[in-house]
Amino acid sequence: MLASNKISNALISVFYKDGLAPIAQALHQQGVNIYSTGGTQEFLEKLGIPVFPVEKLTGYPSILGGRVKTLHPKIFGGILARREEAGDLSEVKEFDIPLFDLVMVDLYPFEETLASTSDESKIIEKIDIGGVSLIRAAAKNFKHSLIVSHVNQYPELLTLLTEGNALSTIEQRKAFAAKAFQVTSHYDTVIFNYFNSEQQLPAYKISFAHGNPLRYGENPHQRGFFFGNLRDFINQLHGKELSYNNLLDVDAAVNLLADFSEPTVAIIKHNNPCGVASRATIYEAWKDALAGDPVSAFGGIIALNRPVDLATAQEMDKIFLEVLIAPSYEEDALKLLQGKKNRIILEQKGTLPVTQTVRSVLNGVLVQDRDLIVLKASDLKPVTSHLATESDIEDLLFADKIVKHTKSNTIVLAKNKQLLGIGCGQTSRVDALRHAIAKAKAFEFDLNGAAMSSDAFFPFPDCVEIARNEGIHAVIQPGGSIKDDASILYCENNGMPMYFSGIRHFKH
């Protein structure tokens, strides 16, 4: 076996023909015999390049409307033959099978078809059979065959042909083989998930065709990667490369803001909101979100659900902000914000399509549906005779949206659609409340008439007692404790409206 192989015979059958012409011309100049079929054969012949039709090699025409073209021993024998095995070479000679040194095959665009239509017949026809088989065969026999399985590999192949004199090393062939198995693995995963969306087999498969190394992971001594295509969701307009932690915080910010319809600003630090406000304008929302915790906002991630105008940009530019994400920016606002070299400015293209969350645990993964419930006033069940005002209800719903996106145990205090204080990630609910109160007082907020939301039930009445003593007026919680009656009774006796939502929002 030679470490370097000279390409003598090539099999070419591709769906995407962009960039194919210079490759075919380079092969022809190197004296390579080209075998092809169907549309690729026609494309090559129009370029004036001689082609051996696959049908003449196999003795069979393309049948079943093109479903069967290359599935034949004379094709697969020429790809899979082990050239160091005398028996294989003897059979190849006996059946007059050409040995293929290069296989250029891509796959029908199943994923693209799936994204563009719901017509099952069109989707099914884009499940490639022969292409997958050819790619796997050539990749398996990388000792002798070079497999090019995607249009993005064409430039590398062209370089090999023009600068490498059509010679490939075993290291190059093995690298192309790895890419080939990546292509077929991703392809099969997408097909499986299409079928399993109805069948719901107890299997979890996920694949991303794109991946990028990050500067590092959560800390500098950890490697980090992002798998996916960020450009499908955001445009980066300015600033340094997004980090692992940036991406976590941007994800938290985008998911939080997805629950708000009126102009809202959220400030995120370490995955938790430290400032949130909804107002008539995005300018007012920024001012009041920042007031919620101007200390934690320093170096934070800022998310806005309205275009950024110049007045808002001027206010935001006064402090150090690491990341901004909004649906758009007015031209003069963007120019101002770009004045800070490293500030990351992102443009959000739409809503997140993701409906599940995935986490690695022990030697496997946990998968669950995202918490997508957003409460309405009609969802709330009053459990006291004291009823909240319309303004109180708005604050309760506002607080509940925030509590849903905050690490448990958590308590959120809000008034006039502004976050006043938050206690998150605490080991007890009463500690979370005390922390929220302390945060509110640190920035001189008046808690009289404020609303309180809890991510889970109150196991004891201590939280509502502490809240009432601080002037907090209305309470929303899921309910479900065996001691619910104790908290309800305290609120009833002390004029506090309490509502049960029936929805717990644990977040770990």
Side-chain angles (χ1 to χ4, degrees):
M1 180 190 70
L2 295 175
S4 293
N5 281 0
K6 175 79 172 180
I7 298 173
S8 298
N9 295 312
L11 174 65
I12 306 178
S13 179
V14 295
F15 186 89
Y16 296 103
K17 298 173 181 64
D18 292 344
L20 177 60
I23 290 172
Q25 289 161 348
L27 289 169
H28 179 52
Q29 290 168 4
Q30 293 282 350
V32 175
N33 300 314
I34 298 176
Y35 293 76
S36 190
T37 185
T40 305
Q41 178 184 341
E42 293 177 12
F43 177 85
L44 296 174
E45 287 174 341
K46 286 180 180 178
L47 293 174
I49 295 174
V51 176
F52 292 90
V54 164
E55 289 83 353
K56 286 188 178 180
L57 175 63
T58 63
Y60 282 89
S62 172
I63 62 173
L64 306 181
R67 281 190 164 195
V68 181
K69 291 182 286 190
T70 55
L71 295 168
H72 192 279
K74 279 205 167 185
I75 300 296
F76 283 87
I79 297 172
L80 286 166
R82 295 162 293 187
R83 301 176 195 184
E84 72 276 17
E85 294 286 337
D88 286 11
L89 294 179
S90 175
E91 290 180 341
V92 162
K93 184 177 181 181
E94 178 183 354
F95 296 108
D96 194 23
I97 297 173
L99 295 173
F100 291 110
D101 313 290
L102 170 65
V103 176
M104 283 188 70
V105 175
D106 60 10
L107 301 174
Y108 291 158
F110 179 86
E111 195 167 10
E112 294 84 346
T113 304
L114 190 61
S116 64
T117 183
S118 59
D119 187 329
E120 186 177 78
S121 63
K122 292 181 179 178
I123 293 170
I124 296 303
E125 282 307 307
K126 288 300 184 285
I127 297 177
D128 206 314
I129 304 301
V132 171
S133 302
L134 291 166
I135 290 171
R136 289 176 61 88
K140 177 178 179 177
N141 202 28
F142 69 88
K143 289 182 179 180
H144 308 291
S145 294
L146 176 66
I147 174 62
V148 176
S149 55
H150 196 280
V151 65
N152 64 15
Q153 298 164 20
Y154 287 7
E156 190 175 354
L157 173 62
L158 185 59
T159 299
L160 183 148
L161 294 173
T162 56
E163 298 180 11
N165 197 33
L167 284 167
S168 67
T169 67
I170 192 166
E171 291 80 14
Q172 289 171 322
R173 295 193 298 277
K174 194 169 186 179
F176 272 96
K179 294 173 185 176
F181 284 120
Q182 179 189 23
V183 167
T184 59
S185 172
H186 177 75
Y187 195 77
D188 285 340
T189 297
V190 175
I191 294 170
F192 168 77
N193 286 330
Y194 168 71
F195 280 92
N196 204 39
S197 62
E198 294 182 3
Q199 304 302 320
Q200 295 295 305
L201 298 174
Y204 181 72
K205 297 180 186 296
I206 188 169
S207 176
F208 292 104
H210 305 277
N212 294 300
L214 302 172
R215 282 175 285 162
Y216 49 81
E218 207 159 5
N219 299 291
H221 62 277
Q222 296 170 273
R223 292 191 304 158
F225 301 86
F226 175 81
F227 294 100
N229 191 349
L230 275 176
R231 293 179 183 176
D232 288 344
F233 183 68
I234 57 174
N235 287 326
Q236 182 163 350
L237 306 178
H238 183 72
K240 61 185 179 180
E241 177 188 343
L242 282 161
S243 71
Y244 183 98
N245 292 329
N246 290 155
L247 289 167
L248 287 175
D249 285 337
V250 168
D251 180 74
V254 166
N255 279 287
L256 171 60
L257 273 197
D259 288 347
F260 291 87
S261 57
E262 54 192 317
T264 302
V265 173
I267 305 172
I268 302 294
K269 208 66 179 291
H270 297 293
N271 280 203
N272 290 307
C274 60
V276 185
S278 296
R279 291 290 181 264
T281 68
I282 205 69
Y283 174 85
E284 295 170 315
W286 161 252
K287 297 274 284 187
D288 288 339
L290 178 63
D293 187 347
V295 174
S296 296
F298 184 84
I301 277 67
I302 315 302
L304 310 92
N305 66 353
R306 292 292 191 279
V308 178
D309 56 32
L310 179 59
T312 306
Q314 288 170 333
E315 290 297 320
M316 291 194 296
D317 195 51
K318 293 177 181 179
I319 69 170
F320 168 58
L321 307 173
E322 187 162 8
V323 181
L324 292 171
I325 181 166
S328 63
Y329 301 80
E330 292 183 0
E331 185 176 349
D332 50 0
L334 180 60
K335 184 177 180 181
L336 173 68
L337 293 169
Q338 288 174 328
K340 301 292 193 300
K341 182 178 68 172
N342 290 327
R343 178 183 287 157
I344 298 169
I345 303 176
L346 307 175
E347 183 179 63
Q348 183 176 335
K349 293 183 179 180
T351 57
L352 273 177
V354 181
T355 58
Q356 291 183 322
T357 63
V358 183
R359 294 177 69 174
S360 60
V361 175
L362 301 176
N363 61 339
V365 296
L366 288 173
V367 181
Q368 66 171 352
D369 295 335
R370 279 191 179 274
D371 185 354
L372 297 175
I373 291 178
V374 180
L375 295 176
K376 305 182 297 294
S378 58
D379 297 322
L380 306 187
K381 175 187 174 184
V383 293
T384 60
S385 62
H386 310 288
L387 299 180
T389 65
E390 183 177 341
S391 176
D392 290 334
I393 293 294
E394 288 181 349
D395 284 339
L396 289 172
L397 294 173
F398 176 89
D400 193 72
K401 290 175 183 177
I402 298 171
V403 90
K404 164 183 156 183
H405 295 278
T406 308
K407 295 290 186 182
S408 299
N409 289 305
T410 185
I411 295 287
V412 168
L413 306 178
K415 185 166 68 172
N416 299 327
K417 298 182 186 177
Q418 180 185 24
L419 175 61
L420 304 185
I422 191 167
C424 56
Q426 301 300 308
T427 52
S428 75
R429 199 151 303 282
V430 71
D431 282 346
L433 174 57
R434 287 177 174 142
H435 185 70
I437 291 169
K439 292 288 283 187
K441 288 183 174 180
F443 300 108
E444 300 181 350
F445 283 114
D446 180 8
L447 289 174
N448 285 295
M452 175 172 74
S453 177
S454 174
D455 63 331
F457 63 66
F458 296 116
F460 303 102
D462 49 359
C463 282
V464 289
E465 291 178 28
I466 294 170
R468 191 241 178 198
N469 290 336
E470 295 292 341
I472 294 165
H473 174 60
V475 181
I476 181 173
Q477 60 140 321
S481 168
I482 60 174
K483 295 187 177 181
D484 275 345
D485 288 345
S487 294
I488 293 171
L489 181 61
Y490 182 87
C491 290
E492 181 66 33
N493 290 340
N494 289 274
M496 295 178 73
M498 177 181 276
Y499 290 79
F500 281 6
S501 66
I503 302 295
R504 189 180 74 183
H505 289 304
F506 270 167
K507 189 170 188 288
H508 294 99

